[in-house]
Amino acid sequence: MRVLSVSRWLRGAVRAPSGGPGSPQVPQPGRREREVTVDVLDHLEHLALVDFRDSEGVERLQKAIQFADQLHEVNTDGVEPMDSVLEDRCLYLREDDVTEGNCTKELLKNAKEKVEEYFVAPPGNIPLPKLEE
Amino acid sequence: MLRASLREVSAALKEGHVSPTELCQRCLALIKSTKFLNAYITVVEETALKQAEESEKRYRTGQPLGVLDGIPVAVKDNFSTAGIETTCASEMLKGYIPPYSATVVQKLLDQGAVLLGKTNLDEFAMGSGSTDGVFGPVRNPWSYSRQYKEKLVPKSHPEDEDSNWVITGGSSGGSAAAVSSFTCFAALGSDTGGSTRNPAAHCGVVGLKPTYGLISRHGLIPLVNSMDVPGILTRCVDDAAVVLGSLAGHDPKDSTTVQDSFKPFELPNLTDVSKLSIGIPKEYHAPGLSSEILALWSKAADLFKNAGANVIEVSLPHTRYSIVCYHVLCTAEVASNMARFDGLEYGHRSDMNKSTESMYAATRREGFNDVVRGRILSGNYFLLKQNYENYFVKAQKVRRLIANDFMKVFRSGVDILLTPTTLSDAVPYTEFIKEDNRTRSAQDDILTQAVNMAGLPAISVPTALSERGLPVGLQFIGRSFQEKQLLTVAKWFEKQVKFPMIELEEVKRHDHGVFQHQKSASFS
């Protein structure tokens, strides 16, 4: 199911059927030519906001995906994902009390544009222009 | 005097052979005469001299704060320092003055250390060369050593001379260069995939990556929260233990520091290694490992064997996936961490004023280099709802397998793992920049990254000079929170190999006076 939904997003994605335990689930990288669709690019740009819209940026992304695909050589059946190496420890949480404050002036010092005690942003709710094909 | 170790100079301060102000002035002078190394982004002469003066008062009244009092140190420019510009070598944070200091910086200051300045790095610590920062690349001090210059094939054109300089490794290259060129006695780096150990190996200094959770990350501008640790760069293993002792321990401001109490330790002189079990992970014989380093690695293994240690080959089968796994986890965390840089509250802000979103996008295009933008973009891709399971969670699963490999080996009775730190000695800058950052990082972090996946402590110890007259370091990996054992073994090794001291030709030429002066007061 997951495999299907991924390939819907990726033009030209070809996936081999999953093998049994121990066998690679996906063929070696390099054999597949995946292309990121304009839709995905558009969506990514809205999330990342890094203005990568040049062919070089897209190419770099494609390479990064291809590189990451090597992960699928590893059999991870039954393996729990690891968030942190401290997962078996009880970590310190402080009381939910205010301990610092009154630093408005200091914090505003680093802002480029402000009015009184406010940060100033340009007009909101205007989406980025759509990408052209 | 400047070539002394931290502990030696601390003793000299205590006995009054040198004053903190004098020491600080000499370091500042040397920073000036080694400016061409580009090791420092910011030098805070005035506050350093003020701190030295205060230290001097304490020594005069017989109340120094401890072994660090009056010791000149440097800090990588991705640690927040109150009142001192903190840039991460990025356009994005140029001019940013943090309102607070990182816990580790505060701890150094509270113990009387004199902060000389902020050191250069790859932008946001993303890189393995210290070549990708907005302030330009760091030059490896060994490029200007007699040892390296003697081995150089003479070029017919004297103008070519400038193209021979080699990189420091990264991303804490500025800190490594600062310690290696004697402008400070210890420096802080950070280590997410090898960023402390890699430049330490290339610059011939000790680089310690402590266990994740032992030292506070509060105020370290995050790269990958689940793997970042502050790193320690010093001239010798004993010094690393001193700095570790002054930094380690629980910090209420960092919930990922463990609450176990940490007792600073002095390293014993190991006389008997016969009870030690040293593991040699065969997977670290990686493609691209230079024959020279391979030879030094086996020589080191023999050294332990001949001294009676149990040296055995072990296997960490998933280690070879650590770079790919890191690529996904790192970009994902970067994508999330870098969301804070939008130009509104601090840092660079674009003039684009059409809409909030377009201002954000323009700010981030202008503020981040291609490497950072590329990682943000890939990270967002791996985190997309439809890719999350397939890439991010998959990488987290592979991470567990990598960490489990280490656990199995240590459970089998191995005390310490011995590996190379880098695949080769440092390459000339002109060679290094032929490959892109991702390819370079993938190659260069290959021997150091897996340790961060598992959170283990590791240290790179300068071992020998290569045929080209450049430093080579070997890496020791220990059990979690077993820094004392790790450093004790590293110290024993350091004593056996007798790594030569750098002989800086260029600096002598650039500033004859400083070094002459120094020599007369030198310990060795």
PDB file of all heavy atoms in Angstrom, chain B residues 345-360:
ATOM      1  N   GLU B 345      12.789  37.219  13.481  1.00  0.00           N
ATOM      2  CA  GLU B 345      13.215  37.517  14.850  1.00  0.00           C
ATOM      3  C   GLU B 345      14.700  37.835  14.962  1.00  0.00           C
ATOM      4  O   GLU B 345      15.119  38.568  15.840  1.00  0.00           O
ATOM      5  CB  GLU B 345      12.888  36.336  15.783  1.00  0.00           C
ATOM      6  CG  GLU B 345      11.415  36.003  15.872  1.00  0.00           C
ATOM      7  CD  GLU B 345      11.025  34.941  14.867  1.00  0.00           C
ATOM      8  OE1 GLU B 345      11.834  34.659  13.955  1.00  0.00           O
ATOM      9  OE2 GLU B 345       9.914  34.399  14.982  1.00  0.00           O
ATOM     10  N   TYR B 346      15.492  37.209  14.111  1.00  0.00           N
ATOM     11  CA  TYR B 346      16.941  37.457  14.177  1.00  0.00           C
ATOM     12  C   TYR B 346      17.565  37.016  12.866  1.00  0.00           C
ATOM     13  O   TYR B 346      16.913  36.366  12.042  1.00  0.00           O
ATOM     14  CB  TYR B 346      17.589  36.681  15.339  1.00  0.00           C
ATOM     15  CG  TYR B 346      17.151  35.247  15.449  1.00  0.00           C
ATOM     16  CD1 TYR B 346      17.676  34.283  14.610  1.00  0.00           C
ATOM     17  CD2 TYR B 346      16.175  34.863  16.368  1.00  0.00           C
ATOM     18  CE1 TYR B 346      17.265  32.967  14.691  1.00  0.00           C
ATOM     19  CE2 TYR B 346      15.760  33.547  16.462  1.00  0.00           C
ATOM     20  CZ  TYR B 346      16.303  32.607  15.631  1.00  0.00           C
ATOM     21  OH  TYR B 346      15.897  31.300  15.704  1.00  0.00           O
ATOM     22  N   GLY B 347      18.802  37.367  12.686  1.00  0.00           N
ATOM     23  CA  GLY B 347      19.527  36.926  11.504  1.00  0.00           C
ATOM     24  C   GLY B 347      19.165  37.717  10.257  1.00  0.00           C
ATOM     25  O   GLY B 347      18.485  38.750  10.317  1.00  0.00           O
ATOM     26  N   HIS B 348      19.627  37.172   9.135  1.00  0.00           N
ATOM     27  CA  HIS B 348      19.424  37.858   7.867  1.00  0.00           C
ATOM     28  C   HIS B 348      17.935  37.979   7.525  1.00  0.00           C
ATOM     29  O   HIS B 348      17.155  37.096   7.829  1.00  0.00           O
ATOM     30  CB  HIS B 348      20.161  37.085   6.766  1.00  0.00           C
ATOM     31  CG  HIS B 348      19.927  37.632   5.405  1.00  0.00           C
ATOM     32  ND1 HIS B 348      20.490  38.820   4.989  1.00  0.00           N
ATOM     33  CD2 HIS B 348      19.179  37.185   4.373  1.00  0.00           C
ATOM     34  CE1 HIS B 348      20.092  39.063   3.745  1.00  0.00           C
ATOM     35  NE2 HIS B 348      19.305  38.086   3.350  1.00  0.00           N
ATOM     36  N   ARG B 349      17.575  39.097   6.905  1.00  0.00           N
ATOM     37  CA  ARG B 349      16.206  39.271   6.402  1.00  0.00           C
ATOM     38  C   ARG B 349      16.279  39.883   5.011  1.00  0.00           C
ATOM     39  O   ARG B 349      16.942  40.907   4.814  1.00  0.00           O
ATOM     40  CB  ARG B 349      15.412  40.187   7.338  1.00  0.00           C
ATOM     41  CG  ARG B 349      14.028  40.511   6.805  1.00  0.00           C
ATOM     42  CD  ARG B 349      13.261  41.363   7.815  1.00  0.00           C
ATOM     43  NE  ARG B 349      11.955  41.735   7.293  1.00  0.00           N
ATOM     44  CZ  ARG B 349      10.848  41.805   8.041  1.00  0.00           C
ATOM     45  NH1 ARG B 349      10.907  41.535   9.318  1.00  0.00           N
ATOM     46  NH2 ARG B 349       9.703  42.156   7.508  1.00  0.00           N
ATOM     47  N   SER B 350      15.603  39.250   4.086  1.00  0.00           N
ATOM     48  CA  SER B 350      15.608  39.738   2.703  1.00  0.00           C
ATOM     49  C   SER B 350      14.782  41.011   2.581  1.00  0.00           C
ATOM     50  O   SER B 350      13.886  41.275   3.382  1.00  0.00           O
ATOM     51  CB  SER B 350      15.036  38.664   1.785  1.00  0.00           C
ATOM     52  OG  SER B 350      14.803  39.207   0.511  1.00  0.00           O
ATOM     53  N   ASP B 351      15.096  41.810   1.552  1.00  0.00           N
ATOM     54  CA  ASP B 351      14.320  43.029   1.296  1.00  0.00           C
ATOM     55  C   ASP B 351      12.983  42.723   0.640  1.00  0.00           C
ATOM     56  O   ASP B 351      12.117  43.583   0.567  1.00  0.00           O
ATOM     57  CB  ASP B 351      15.109  43.977   0.395  1.00  0.00           C
ATOM     58  CG  ASP B 351      16.338  44.517   1.097  1.00  0.00           C
ATOM     59  OD1 ASP B 351      16.283  44.622   2.350  1.00  0.00           O
ATOM     60  OD2 ASP B 351      17.341  44.817   0.432  1.00  0.00           O
ATOM     61  N   MET B 352      12.845  41.515   0.119  1.00  0.00           N
ATOM     62  CA  MET B 352      11.586  41.091  -0.515  1.00  0.00           C
ATOM     63  C   MET B 352      10.437  41.302   0.452  1.00  0.00           C
ATOM     64  O   MET B 352      10.441  40.778   1.559  1.00  0.00           O
ATOM     65  CB  MET B 352      11.718  39.612  -0.904  1.00  0.00           C
ATOM     66  CG  MET B 352      10.424  38.866  -1.126  1.00  0.00           C
ATOM     67  SD  MET B 352       9.538  39.410  -2.552  1.00  0.00           S
ATOM     68  CE  MET B 352      10.477  38.641  -3.857  1.00  0.00           C
ATOM     69  N   ASN B 353       9.452  42.104   0.030  1.00  0.00           N
ATOM     70  CA  ASN B 353       8.398  42.467   0.980  1.00  0.00           C
ATOM     71  C   ASN B 353       6.985  42.205   0.466  1.00  0.00           C
ATOM     72  O   ASN B 353       6.022  42.735   0.971  1.00  0.00           O
ATOM     73  CB  ASN B 353       8.541  43.947   1.373  1.00  0.00           C
ATOM     74  CG  ASN B 353       8.822  44.064   2.862  1.00  0.00           C
ATOM     75  OD1 ASN B 353       8.476  43.155   3.629  1.00  0.00           O
ATOM     76  ND2 ASN B 353       9.442  45.159   3.271  1.00  0.00           N
ATOM     77  N   LYS B 354       6.890  41.346  -0.574  1.00  0.00           N
ATOM     78  CA  LYS B 354       5.602  41.069  -1.205  1.00  0.00           C
ATOM     79  C   LYS B 354       4.648  40.343  -0.282  1.00  0.00           C
ATOM     80  O   LYS B 354       3.470  40.672  -0.207  1.00  0.00           O
ATOM     81  CB  LYS B 354       5.833  40.200  -2.441  1.00  0.00           C
ATOM     82  CG  LYS B 354       5.661  40.940  -3.764  1.00  0.00           C
ATOM     83  CD  LYS B 354       5.471  39.884  -4.825  1.00  0.00           C
ATOM     84  CE  LYS B 354       5.633  40.357  -6.216  1.00  0.00           C
ATOM     85  NZ  LYS B 354       6.358  39.346  -6.985  1.00  0.00           N
ATOM     86  N   SER B 355       5.162  39.318   0.358  1.00  0.00           N
ATOM     87  CA  SER B 355       4.333  38.543   1.276  1.00  0.00           C
ATOM     88  C   SER B 355       5.246  37.884   2.287  1.00  0.00           C
ATOM     89  O   SER B 355       6.457  37.803   2.073  1.00  0.00           O
ATOM     90  CB  SER B 355       3.555  37.469   0.511  1.00  0.00           C
ATOM     91  OG  SER B 355       4.452  36.469   0.085  1.00  0.00           O
ATOM     92  N   THR B 356       4.641  37.410   3.373  1.00  0.00           N
ATOM     93  CA  THR B 356       5.446  36.757   4.399  1.00  0.00           C
ATOM     94  C   THR B 356       6.175  35.551   3.814  1.00  0.00           C
ATOM     95  O   THR B 356       7.382  35.394   4.000  1.00  0.00           O
ATOM     96  CB  THR B 356       4.557  36.299   5.574  1.00  0.00           C
ATOM     97  OG1 THR B 356       3.889  37.452   6.090  1.00  0.00           O
ATOM     98  CG2 THR B 356       5.380  35.677   6.679  1.00  0.00           C
ATOM     99  N   GLU B 357       5.428  34.733   3.068  1.00  0.00           N
ATOM    100  CA  GLU B 357       6.019  33.515   2.512  1.00  0.00           C
ATOM    101  C   GLU B 357       7.166  33.824   1.557  1.00  0.00           C
ATOM    102  O   GLU B 357       8.203  33.172   1.591  1.00  0.00           O
ATOM    103  CB  GLU B 357       4.954  32.679   1.792  1.00  0.00           C
ATOM    104  CG  GLU B 357       3.891  32.155   2.728  1.00  0.00           C
ATOM    105  CD  GLU B 357       3.784  30.651   2.697  1.00  0.00           C
ATOM    106  OE1 GLU B 357       3.852  30.087   1.599  1.00  0.00           O
ATOM    107  OE2 GLU B 357       3.640  30.047   3.765  1.00  0.00           O
ATOM    108  N   SER B 358       6.974  34.815   0.708  1.00  0.00           N
ATOM    109  CA  SER B 358       8.022  35.112  -0.263  1.00  0.00           C
ATOM    110  C   SER B 358       9.227  35.739   0.440  1.00  0.00           C
ATOM    111  O   SER B 358      10.366  35.543   0.035  1.00  0.00           O
ATOM    112  CB  SER B 358       7.509  36.018  -1.383  1.00  0.00           C
ATOM    113  OG  SER B 358       7.076  37.247  -0.857  1.00  0.00           O
ATOM    114  N   MET B 359       8.982  36.475   1.522  1.00  0.00           N
ATOM    115  CA  MET B 359      10.102  37.009   2.309  1.00  0.00           C
ATOM    116  C   MET B 359      10.880  35.858   2.945  1.00  0.00           C
ATOM    117  O   MET B 359      12.113  35.833   2.911  1.00  0.00           O
ATOM    118  CB  MET B 359       9.565  37.961   3.384  1.00  0.00           C
ATOM    119  CG  MET B 359      10.639  38.745   4.132  1.00  0.00           C
ATOM    120  SD  MET B 359      11.387  37.841   5.492  1.00  0.00           S
ATOM    121  CE  MET B 359      10.137  38.043   6.758  1.00  0.00           C
ATOM    122  N   TYR B 360      10.158  34.880   3.515  1.00  0.00           N
ATOM    123  CA  TYR B 360      10.810  33.707   4.102  1.00  0.00           C
ATOM    124  C   TYR B 360      11.700  33.023   3.062  1.00  0.00           C
ATOM    125  O   TYR B 360      12.872  32.757   3.303  1.00  0.00           O
ATOM    126  CB  TYR B 360       9.784  32.667   4.565  1.00  0.00           C
ATOM    127  CG  TYR B 360       9.012  32.984   5.831  1.00  0.00           C
ATOM    128  CD1 TYR B 360       7.910  32.213   6.194  1.00  0.00           C
ATOM    129  CD2 TYR B 360       9.399  34.018   6.671  1.00  0.00           C
ATOM    130  CE1 TYR B 360       7.193  32.468   7.356  1.00  0.00           C
ATOM    131  CE2 TYR B 360       8.678  34.290   7.833  1.00  0.00           C
ATOM    132  CZ  TYR B 360       7.580  33.509   8.167  1.00  0.00           C
ATOM    133  OH  TYR B 360       6.866  33.757   9.306  1.00  0.00           O
TER     134      TYR B 360
END
